[in-house]
Amino acid sequence: MTKAAVDRVYLFGTCLIDVFHPEAGMATVRLLEREGVEVIFPPEQTCCGQPPYNSGYDDQARTVARQVVERFAEPIPVIVPSGSCAGMLRHHYPDLLADDPLADAARDLAARTYELHEFLHRILAVKLEDHGEPVTVVMHTACSARREMGVREDGLALLGQLANVTVCEPENAEACCGFGGTFAVKMPEISVAMASDKCQAVRASGADQLLSSDCGCLLNIDGMLRKQGNALPAHHLATFLWERTGGAS
Amino acid sequence: MKSRDRILARLRHGRTASPAAPMTPPESPPPAVTQPDLEPMIEALGAAHAEVIRIEESQWPDRLAAMAAERSWQHWWVGRDEVAQTWQQHASAPQVTVFDDWTTQKDALFREAPVALSLAQGGIAETGTLIVESRPETPRTLSLVPPVHVVVVRERTVYPDMAKALANYSHSGLPTNLIFISGPSKTADIQQTLAYGAHGPKELIVFLCR
Amino acid sequence: MSGFTSQPDQDFGVRIHEALEDAELRESFHGAMTFLREKRRSQFPDPDALENLRDSGAAIRDRALAKLPDLLEQLEDRCRHNGIQVHWAETSDEANAIITGLIQSVHGQRIVKGKSMATEEIGLNTALEAAGFTCLESDMGEYIVQQAGETPSHIIMPAIHRNKASIARQFADQIPDTPYTEDVDELIGTGRRVLRQAFAHADVGISGVNFAIAETGTLCLVENEGNGRMSTTVPDTHIAVMGIEKVIEKLADLPDLMRLLPRSATGQAITTYINLISGPRRDDECDGPRQVHLVLVDNGRSRIYADRELRATLRCIRCGACMNHCPVYERLGGHAYGTVYPGPIGQVVMPQLFGLDKAGKLTQACSLNGACGEACPVRIPLPDLIRRLRHEGVTDDPASPVRGHGRQRQASEALIWRVWATIHAHPRLYRLVTRLATRSRRLLPPLPRAWTARRARLEPAPRSFHEQMAQRRQTEPRP
């Protein structure tokens, strides 16, 4: 796919952005629109179905997944501002719906699903102009973005375009932050042990702000830092990119 | 029905009931060079804590005699291979025990054999590996029990990699015991600290002969 | 708390708590795992070459599994031709009975064992003790662990949970004439001295098998210490024990697996010894065992084999890379799992061997971060298999192939997901719920304490993204 071929995309907003970080959703829309891409946000969307899927409740996940497949039916890219939800659509829907009448549609959807930063960087090849003051940020790439989607470099490359932004990663960057969806609630002690280590590494980085392209990790790390009274401004990467680039076209 | 038949029947039934999607093997790697570069072998053996001496084949006995004097190696355990014979006839008149009777010599082997000398049938350049076959003239414990093992290996028997080395045995058949040795015995079982001579030789000296 | 159990789910929470509270243990594992990951990384400098090699490893193991029953018959045939006697065991008990019988038949008295996970799995040491035999572990790590009355905490480095000071104390206390020293060379020297005596006088040696080659009837054993060679060379009788899945088709399959196994396991390019055994001592040979036996153990593997997806479990070459890369294993250590195989592969193997009713909870100790799947040299899709087993744990499908299926299902959780699905399958209902959530942010019932104990409360935004987009559609026409 080339940039010229893209003038319309779907936005799959994700449930965590919907409730906890709507500003990241708005930033996503604006980042795409600034590139001349029309963003279609089907209002009937809810969630990708990952929480029950990862808990073993495949039937419930399938109920929700079918609706996503049906509501994002036009043959245009589906943009997801989350590595883990994008991974669900791209890698798990074909399996989850393999024996469903929608199997072909699920495979088609999977093939045109993109993580936001992957799409901005690889397909739209955006050029970002930094309008902000010098700042150091620590970027936490979610495991799903890093491994399942393979988009760590895309997020870092976009940040790298911002002249006044110094980017670092926490020590042991590839280590899971301990969120894991329902894992954080089902295995709280292990999750807390992992999150504590991640918070320590984030703090030790000395950065002024924490960024992540996944809201789950952000809620986990930021939530623990705030409880510790040790918080630093924490944003979704899309929010940060939009704000730094002044919102102008 | 015996256990064997029940196990095989279950496997056959499982395979039929749930056939696997065939997996495409990757393209075979490019053929390795046939004339192996010996530098990696020397480097790898050195990194594995072995001592490598590259030498003309006619020269190793003199060099070994000099090393023996220096390091007070006095009593040699050997098999009946070529290097054993050469060494026994060396001018330095080394004290040699020919190891060829397990029943009578086993206790002494464990108790008092300080240095073993043997011929390796080949080598693997890539990994710094000696190929040692069990043979009537080469007891397998010779390369295992004495704390120092001196090995003679000829350059022309060195293969570039393990695939080439094993291909040779696919044709000729395997000995009862084929051993690939890539350094002295070692362990890191205590707090990831490397220690040599866990159970086998603490020292491995390799004469790589032209 | 370091024993294996046939009911790993029982007290799993207690073991997790104790492990996380043990600062020394966490320090040991953090150090060891970081060390092993770094070493592995340094062995695979070229990512493309690594991926090619993993493709090859997976294809070799998959091809062997596709032909498994035929290869086992071929292996048996070639082994017999080579003079290796082959025995088949459906269960642990049968395997132990066969081995005990073999020892009795040669009037074995002194038994040494090389490191073997298969014999840990079948509980051989306990079975031999019950039959009046003592079997001495000869791998340094296993020896330390056995002497302390513990079980291994890692499949490659059994004593990884111990530091040298505690081993120094143990040796000084338990081995006569041994002064306390933390010098690792001296500690290993002590082990060498004790175990040499055992090797010299052993009449039966027991070992595992890394791979068995069907084409040639050959047993391949991989090690660094030489205890494996001692155990398989010095005693008159050698008994090798192996899971039926460990067969490979051809000698030519070995090199790629050898490129993967030691590098993935300990970050070594190659192990000190690769020991290929194709028969007992011949008449014209001076040494080597007079009898070689191969005990093929099923113990539930043929059941795992029957499911196409779960079959990938059997590709495992027991390198331990999955646990070395698992953030949960790194923090818990091996003993918390209560299983012979800990970490991700254990979370996949154990529920299938013991049943989901007894070991299904193990599958919850995973954040599905994918690090294990990425590290696996034979591309076992470990996260997918863990997720699959979670599904089998709660399914009410009677056709589920896994024992104890559905036994992890809790009515309360099932209800939560039914309600969840209803809400998320009805967009208007979903928008009503999220609207309520955002409007009554302060009135929300507190999230489980599991979350809030160490994290700030989750606070919904004042207005949801859906609402903002709906408003935008009205007030801010699209460009």
Side-chain angles (χ1 to χ4, degrees):
Chain A
M1 188 182 299
T2 60
K3 181 174 179 174
V6 183
D7 55 0
R8 278 179 356 129
V9 299
Y10 280 125
L11 171 60
F12 182 83
T14 88
C15 56
L16 288 183
I17 283 185
D18 188 26
V19 177
F20 297 106
H21 283 287
E23 77 288 351
M26 296 311 298
T28 298
V29 173
R30 295 188 164 117
L31 283 166
L32 290 165
E33 285 179 351
R34 184 168 64 187
E35 301 301 314
V37 176
E38 183 186 346
V39 178
I40 299 167
F41 181 77
E44 304 292 281
Q45 63 180 286
T46 61
C47 169
C48 65
Q50 191 177 173
Y53 182 60
N54 284 353
S55 302
Y57 287 82
D58 291 12
D59 289 345
Q60 284 75 12
R62 210 173 280 119
T63 304
V64 175
R66 275 194 206 103
Q67 301 198 336
V68 175
V69 174
E70 284 168 346
R71 284 172 192 147
F72 290 78
E74 266 192 68
I76 56 174
V78 179
I79 310 306
V80 190
S82 152
S84 93
C85 311
M88 182 71 189
L89 268 61
R90 187 189 281 178
H91 296 291
H92 299 296
Y93 274 18
D95 286 341
L96 184 62
L97 297 173
D99 300 322
D100 195 273
L102 287 173
D104 289 342
R107 278 194 295 276
D108 173 65
L109 174 74
R112 55 190 165 82
T113 295
Y114 295 87
E115 192 269 348
L116 169 66
H117 306 96
E118 170 191 31
F119 190 75
L120 290 173
H121 180 233
R122 292 190 214 176
I123 306 298
L124 297 182
V126 298
K127 295 283 173 277
L128 300 174
E129 196 180 322
D130 192 4
H131 298 307
E133 296 295 309
V135 68
T136 301
V137 297
V138 54
M139 173 69 190
H140 169 74
T141 302
C143 296
S144 47
R146 174 186 299 273
R147 303 200 175 93
E148 202 161 61
M149 295 300 290
V151 299
R152 166 178 168 266
E153 279 72 19
D154 296 300
L156 291 177
L158 293 172
L159 280 171
Q161 293 183 17
L162 302 177
N164 285 333
V165 177
T166 307
V167 186
C168 65
E169 292 187 284
E171 202 188 339
N172 294 323
E174 73 290 343
C176 173
C177 72
F179 177 63
T182 51
F183 169 76
V185 180
K186 287 190 174 182
M187 288 283 162
E189 282 189 278
I190 307 175
S191 172
V192 161
M194 292 159 71
S196 304
D197 290 348
K198 185 60 74 183
C199 286
Q200 206 173 4
V202 163
R203 264 309 181 184
S205 74
D208 309 311
Q209 295 193 30
L210 165 66
L211 303 180
S212 178
S213 54
D214 269 73
C215 280
C217 309
L218 207 54
L219 291 170
N220 182 39
I221 302 169
D222 177 49
M224 180 170 277
L225 285 171
R226 280 197 288 132
K227 182 90 173 187
Q228 293 171 350
N230 205 9
L232 67 171
H235 300 291
H236 190 282
L237 179 56
T239 310
F240 183 79
L241 292 177
W242 176 251
E243 284 176 1
R244 290 296 297 195
T245 53
S249 47
Chain B
M1 209 175 177
K2 293 187 300 181
S3 295
R4 171 190 188 278
D5 301 326
R6 280 193 295 267
I7 293 169
L8 289 171
R10 268 200 302 277
L11 292 175
R12 294 219 153 86
H13 178 262
R15 184 169 60 178
T16 316
S18 193
M23 192 162 178
T24 339
E27 308 222 332
S28 50
V33 283
T34 39
Q35 202 56 42
D37 176 6
L38 293 173
E39 279 313 311
M41 179 168 187
I42 295 163
E43 200 176 305
L45 275 167
H49 209 69
E51 199 176 329
V52 185
I53 299 147
R54 224 175 153 179
I55 200 163
E56 293 297 330
E57 185 160 354
S58 58
Q59 300 294 308
W60 71 260
D62 288 346
R63 177 69 82 85
L64 185 57
M67 285 175 77
E70 222 170 85
R71 304 187 192 189
S72 312
W73 291 334
Q74 286 161 353
H75 183 180
W76 299 82
W77 281 61
V78 297
R80 292 191 173 281
D81 59 22
E82 299 161 53
V83 301
Q85 286 163 19
T86 309
W87 186 234
Q88 279 172 282
Q89 290 154 15
H90 189 256
S92 64
Q95 184 197 342
V96 168
T97 294
V98 176
F99 176 40
D100 59 2
D101 189 274
W102 179 247
T103 316
T104 59
Q105 291 178 297
K106 176 178 137 184
D107 286 347
L109 175 75
F110 270 91
R111 224 178 26 248
E112 59 199 42
V115 195
L117 169 70
S118 70
L119 173 72
Q121 278 69 45
I124 299 172
E126 183 188 9
T127 46
T129 301
L130 305 169
I131 301 173
V132 174
E133 298 176 4
S134 61
R135 291 182 163 196
E137 67 273 21
T138 314
R140 40 195 116 182
T141 44
L142 212 49
S143 61
L144 180 64
V145 177
V148 180
H149 183 205
V150 181
V151 188
V152 175
V153 62
R154 298 181 176 118
E155 283 184 6
R156 62 183 155 79
T157 62
V158 174
Y159 297 90
D161 56 30
M162 190 188 290
K164 288 274 189 297
L166 285 176
N168 176 42
Y169 291 102
S170 285
H171 302 305
S172 64
L174 288 155
T176 50
N177 195 192
L178 179 65
I179 308 146
F180 292 151
I181 301 176
S182 304
S185 153
K186 63 174 182 260
T187 185
D189 271 359
I190 298 181
Q191 217 174 315
Q192 297 93 54
T193 309
L194 199 53
Y196 294 96
H199 298 288
K202 295 178 187 186
E203 290 180 58
L204 179 69
I205 290 103
V206 181
F207 285 101
L208 185 57
C209 296
R210 283 183 283 261
Chain C
M1 110 125 207
S2 59
F4 298 146
T5 160
S6 56
Q7 306 240 13
D9 277 4
Q10 222 167 44
D11 300 326
F12 186 34
V14 176
R15 295 196 303 272
I16 288 172
H17 180 75
E18 288 176 1
L20 291 173
E21 293 288 304
D22 186 338
E24 192 177 299
L25 184 89
R26 290 209 24 207
E27 184 62 37
S28 285
F29 274 92
H30 175 67
M33 296 302 105
T34 308
F35 172 79
L36 287 168
R37 286 197 298 264
E38 282 303 317
K39 278 192 75 185
R40 173 188 176 273
R41 209 192 315 259
S42 72
Q43 284 295 336
F44 293 113
D46 176 351
D48 293 338
L50 169 60
E51 296 313 311
N52 278 337
L53 203 51
R54 292 175 74 216
D55 281 343
S56 176
I60 288 167
R61 292 296 297 133
D62 243 27
R63 170 160 45 79
L65 291 175
K67 300 178 181 179
L68 185 57
D70 315 323
L71 293 186
L72 286 168
E73 281 185 317
Q74 190 188 1
L75 176 70
E76 178 185 44
D77 180 67
R78 299 313 305 165
C79 280
R80 290 212 168 124
H81 178 262
N82 291 342
I84 298 173
Q85 300 173 57
V86 181
H87 314 263
W88 300 69
E90 282 191 282
T91 62
S92 298
D93 287 347
E94 191 178 359
N96 289 328
I98 290 169
I99 297 161
T100 310
L102 288 172
I103 295 169
Q104 285 161 343
S105 74
V106 297
H107 309 288
Q109 298 284 328
R110 299 172 185 191
I111 308 164
V112 290
K113 176 141 77 77
K115 184 169 166 32
S116 147
M117 291 314 295
T119 59
E120 295 284 356
E121 179 188 322
I122 62 175
L124 179 63
N125 287 358
T126 313
L128 288 179
E129 264 166 48
F133 297 107
T134 308
C135 177
L136 184 67
E137 294 286 352
S138 64
D139 171 85
M140 284 294 175
E142 293 273 356
Y143 170 70
I144 290 163
V145 161
Q146 184 186 40
Q147 191 178 60
E150 296 181 312
T151 51
S153 58
H154 187 281
I155 66 170
I156 300 294
M157 309 194 88
I160 205 162
H161 57 290
R162 300 282 303 277
N163 60 28
K164 59 186 171 191
S166 80
I167 294 166
R169 271 195 302 278
Q170 176 182 321
F171 277 13
D173 289 349
Q174 300 205 23
I175 304 172
D177 306 321
T178 305
Y180 180 95
T181 172
E182 291 184 17
D183 184 293
V184 171
D185 280 323
E186 284 186 42
L187 289 169
I188 293 298
T190 299
R192 177 185 171 102
R193 177 165 52 83
V194 173
L195 289 162
R196 281 223 143 201
Q197 284 301 309
F199 289 130
H201 300 108
D203 42 29
V204 176
I206 298 174
S207 79
V209 176
N210 290 93
F211 301 105
I213 301 145
E215 174 189 39
T216 55
T218 301
L219 313 179
C220 173
L221 280 71
V222 177
E223 56 149 348
N224 285 311
E225 293 188 358
N227 68 304
R229 284 188 65 200
M230 289 278 189
S231 304
T232 60
T233 305
V234 177
D236 264 351
T237 302
H238 168 208
I239 304 170
V241 185
M242 118 181 180
I244 53 171
E245 83 283 16
K246 289 232 168 164
V247 62
I248 57 174
E249 187 176 4
K250 300 175 290 196
L251 200 53
D253 290 336
L254 199 57
D256 275 355
L257 294 172
M258 284 300 130
R259 281 175 200 272
L260 283 167
L261 178 56
R263 292 187 199 186
S264 303
T266 49
Q268 292 173 264
I270 194 164
T271 51
T272 299
Y273 300 114
I274 297 171
N275 182 4
L276 297 170
I277 298 166
S278 303
R281 175 196 315 191
R282 283 199 328 234
D283 289 342
D284 57 358
E285 288 176 331
C286 164
D287 59 1
R290 303 234 176 235
Q291 292 185 23
V292 178
H293 298 268
L294 174 63
V295 182
L296 295 170
V297 183
D298 181 342
N299 201 29
R301 287 165 173 78
S302 56
R303 212 173 47 236
I304 296 175
Y305 186 77
D307 183 276
R308 186 186 355 211
E309 185 185 16
L310 297 172
R311 189 177 296 159
T313 308
L314 302 177
R315 272 190 220 154
C316 179
I317 60 173
R318 304 282 189 259
C319 69
C322 60
M323 52 201 79
N324 297 346
H325 288 75
C326 174
V328 174
Y329 177 88
E330 177 178 336
R331 285 164 181 88
L332 295 183
H335 287 152
Y337 296 81
T339 54
V340 172
Y341 307 107
I345 188 65
Q347 290 167 285
V348 169
V349 170
M350 287 308 180
Q352 297 188 75
L353 294 188
F354 288 150
L356 285 158
D357 47 336
K358 300 191 178 68
K361 203 173 177 196
L362 292 178
T363 63
Q364 299 299 338
C366 168
S367 67
L368 295 176
N369 61 79
C372 53
E374 185 182 54
C376 177
V378 290
R379 293 197 188 283
I380 302 172
L382 288 159
D384 291 340
L385 297 184
I386 288 172
R387 195 188 291 105
R388 165 78 190 277
L389 289 170
R390 285 182 184 174
H391 170 68
E392 299 302 332
V394 298
T395 187
D396 46 16
D397 181 356
S400 166
V402 187
R403 281 202 307 196
H405 61 83
R407 296 282 292 276
Q408 293 288 326
R409 190 183 181 91
Q410 290 171 338
S412 54
E413 198 198 350
L415 177 66
I416 287 173
W417 292 122
R418 270 207 303 280
V419 171
W420 185 96
T422 305
I423 294 170
H424 288 81
H426 295 87
R428 292 166 71 109
L429 182 56
Y430 168 83
R431 288 199 296 272
L432 177 69
V433 170
T434 53
R435 193 183 169 85
L436 283 171
T438 52
R439 286 305 177 277
S440 56
R441 312 159 54 195
R442 303 278 168 194
L443 303 175
L444 269 183
L447 258 170
R449 215 183 121 61
W451 178 271
T452 54
R454 296 288 299 276
R455 300 175 188 88
R457 286 175 56 122
L458 288 173
E459 286 191 16
R463 280 163 62 247
S464 73
F465 182 50
H466 271 272
E467 279 184 82
Q468 295 188 34
M469 287 301 280
Q471 193 185 18
R472 188 172 190 257
R473 267 191 292 275
Q474 290 165 356
T475 61
E476 190 183 326
R478 277 196 296 267

